[in-house]
Amino acid sequence: MSTNTTSSTDSSTPPTGSSTVPSTGSSAAPSAGASAESGTGARGVAPEAGSRPARLIHNEATTEIPVHLLFRDDPDPSPVPLRPAVVARRQGPGERPGERPATRRPVNARPRPVPSVDPELRERPARVLPGAAGVAAGLCGVAGCAATSWWAGLVPPLAAQALGLPAYAGAGLGPAQWAAYAAAGVLGMFGFGGLARGRTGRAWVLGLFGRYRGTVRRTGLMWVNPLLLRRRVDVRLRHWRSEPMPAADGNGVALRAVTLVVWRVRDTVKATLGVEDHETYLRECVEAALARVPVEPLGTVRSSADVAGDTLTRLVAADAAPVGLEVFSVRPVRVEYAPEVAAAMHRRRIAALDAAQRASVLTSVVDSVEDTVTRLTMRGLVELDDYERKVLVKDLTVAFCAGRGDTGA
């Protein structure tokens, strides 16, 4: 009986080095039956050396896998070349199969657009003459008109004698006299009409028929072509105090902020011709920066106010640089709550101050009571048990709190 059981067990158990795994079907059933018979019949018989019972694992697909095949001890496992793993990407909505998706940058990494103006708008010095040239041309025109009047005989005899001019009957007003009058008048008007006085901190942007002709930054008396259109630009360092603008703090509470901007015009042609009004443009840049940067009310946290001022300065300077404006500082000088939330925030602030005051008073009272009890017991003035200590602490706390309340009132 034992011989038959052992032979059936050996025949049903594949060798250790075998890689054959029986699958579903009729081939798996005999093995299961044989192993069941061998296990039942060989309970009282010790298995032979080197023999291994055939235990099977049944998975959901009813596939039978011998346990000894899962835990084989191979002395030299053969290396298996692995290829790089490729994880399939989930197809997006509205995307066709095989279509390569467009690369998208994260929102934070997207470069901020920088405003640009006409690259031909570059400041260059205009051609002007000294003021003496204009004065000389004007005087020549006046002298030409006087000579033409004497030539035409329009100067009275008494005036000619007073001026020391020789007596001349005059040839009358003919075409030659009118031409001389026109030439002398044009010369005088060009000479005196082109005179200009340059001031420190002021510049002129010159244009002719809509075309930029240069910038004048000279000071003193000079002569500028009177046909050119002059636009005066203030290039001095300027301080601009804005009106209350909408802002918000870190929690999104509505505020009204007044800022002080220190700026000047660096490029006159870009500030004049690049935008319609550079002062209005600067105001809009400050308003846009206040909408992006959280501002805290003054007197709360000084470091946050400094950080907000530095951030505002950087943003406004970057926005105003393309139009020829140089911004040195943007600082909020007055920050207050908006009218719709001012009452609620005022009550909240008073409650916070009251709570801080109460906490400070309570801390000082507790420290005073502790110091008093410690001194009494350490110096041996009184001997207190637990009950007497509690009563003394209670009485001292009430007394100190009442005293602090009367002092504060």
Side-chain angles (χ1 to χ4, degrees):
M1 183 66 180
S2 60
T3 306
N4 295 337
T5 305
T6 306
S7 62
S8 64
T9 304
D10 295 338
S11 62
S12 63
T13 305
T16 306
S18 175
S19 60
T20 305
V21 179
S23 59
T24 60
S26 60
S27 60
S31 301
S35 55
E37 292 175 1
S38 62
T40 305
R43 287 181 180 178
V45 181
E48 298 180 0
S51 64
R52 185 178 298 173
R55 300 176 182 177
L56 302 179
I57 297 177
H58 298 270
N59 57 8
E60 296 179 359
T62 66
T63 303
E64 300 174 357
I65 304 176
V67 177
H68 69 277
L69 294 180
L70 301 177
F71 302 96
R72 290 185 300 175
D73 298 330
D74 295 336
D76 296 324
S78 58
V80 179
L82 299 178
R83 300 175 61 184
V86 179
V87 181
R89 186 184 62 85
R90 181 178 297 179
Q91 183 175 351
E95 183 178 345
R96 298 179 180 178
E99 182 181 2
R100 186 175 182 180
T103 57
R104 297 180 179 178
R105 292 183 178 180
V107 177
N108 296 333
R110 185 167 50 191
R112 183 167 170 264
V114 179
S116 59
V117 296
D118 191 355
E120 296 183 359
L121 294 179
R122 297 180 180 178
E123 182 177 332
R124 60 178 183 271
R127 298 178 181 180
V128 295
L129 297 178
V135 173
L139 293 178
C140 290
V142 172
C145 290
T148 304
S149 299
W150 176 77
W151 180 25
L154 300 178
V155 179
L158 296 178
Q161 292 178 2
L163 295 174
L165 297 177
Y168 182 70
L173 291 175
Q177 287 77 14
W178 285 114
Y181 267 126
V186 169
L187 182 60
M189 287 189 298
F190 261 79
F192 289 121
L195 292 177
R197 184 181 62 176
R199 297 181 181 180
T200 304
R202 301 293 179 88
W204 281 311
V205 177
L206 306 181
L208 180 62
F209 303 116
R211 185 176 180 181
Y212 174 64
R213 288 296 184 179
T215 301
V216 179
R217 288 181 177 263
R218 294 176 55 179
T219 58
L221 188 63
M222 68 189 75
W223 184 84
V224 184
N225 187 354
L227 297 179
L228 298 178
L229 177 63
R230 308 175 191 178
R231 296 185 181 181
R232 187 182 297 272
V233 182
D234 191 351
V235 295
R236 296 174 297 179
L237 188 65
R238 303 171 64 180
H239 291 71
W240 173 60
R241 186 184 182 94
S242 68
E243 67 277 3
M245 294 183 176
D249 61 359
N251 298 325
V253 179
L255 301 174
R256 291 292 184 271
V258 177
T259 58
L260 182 64
V261 184
V262 182
W263 65 286
R264 71 177 179 183
V265 176
R266 179 175 50 86
D267 194 325
T268 56
V269 59
K270 290 182 179 179
T272 306
L273 304 178
V275 290
E276 184 176 359
D277 187 0
H278 59 273
E279 295 183 0
T280 304
Y281 181 82
L282 179 62
R283 179 190 177 281
E284 294 174 352
C285 290
V286 174
E287 188 174 0
L290 282 175
R292 289 179 288 174
V293 178
V295 181
E296 297 295 336
L298 299 181
T300 53
V301 183
R302 184 172 182 82
S303 59
S304 63
D306 295 338
V307 171
D310 297 339
T311 307
L312 287 174
T313 303
R314 185 175 66 256
L315 292 178
V316 175
D319 292 340
V323 296
L325 303 182
E326 188 174 5
V327 179
F328 298 96
S329 175
V330 180
R331 300 290 176 182
V333 294
R334 192 181 69 189
V335 181
E336 56 187 12
Y337 291 104
E340 58 269 15
V341 298
M345 297 307 297
H346 183 64
R347 290 194 298 267
R348 177 183 176 183
R349 200 164 186 178
I350 290 178
L353 292 176
D354 187 26
Q357 180 67 18
R358 290 177 180 272
S360 176
V361 170
L362 182 60
T363 302
S364 62
V365 166
V366 171
D367 293 341
S368 300
V369 171
E370 181 182 5
D371 186 32
T372 303
V373 175
T374 302
R375 288 186 179 184
L376 290 175
T377 55
M378 292 296 294
R379 294 182 181 182
L381 299 177
V382 292
E383 293 182 1
L384 304 174
D385 56 5
D386 293 341
Y387 177 75
E388 293 175 346
R389 185 186 295 272
K390 292 179 180 179
V391 172
L392 179 60
V393 168
K394 179 180 178 181
D395 295 340
L396 289 176
T397 303
V398 172
F400 287 158
C401 287
R404 292 297 180 92
D406 297 339
T407 303

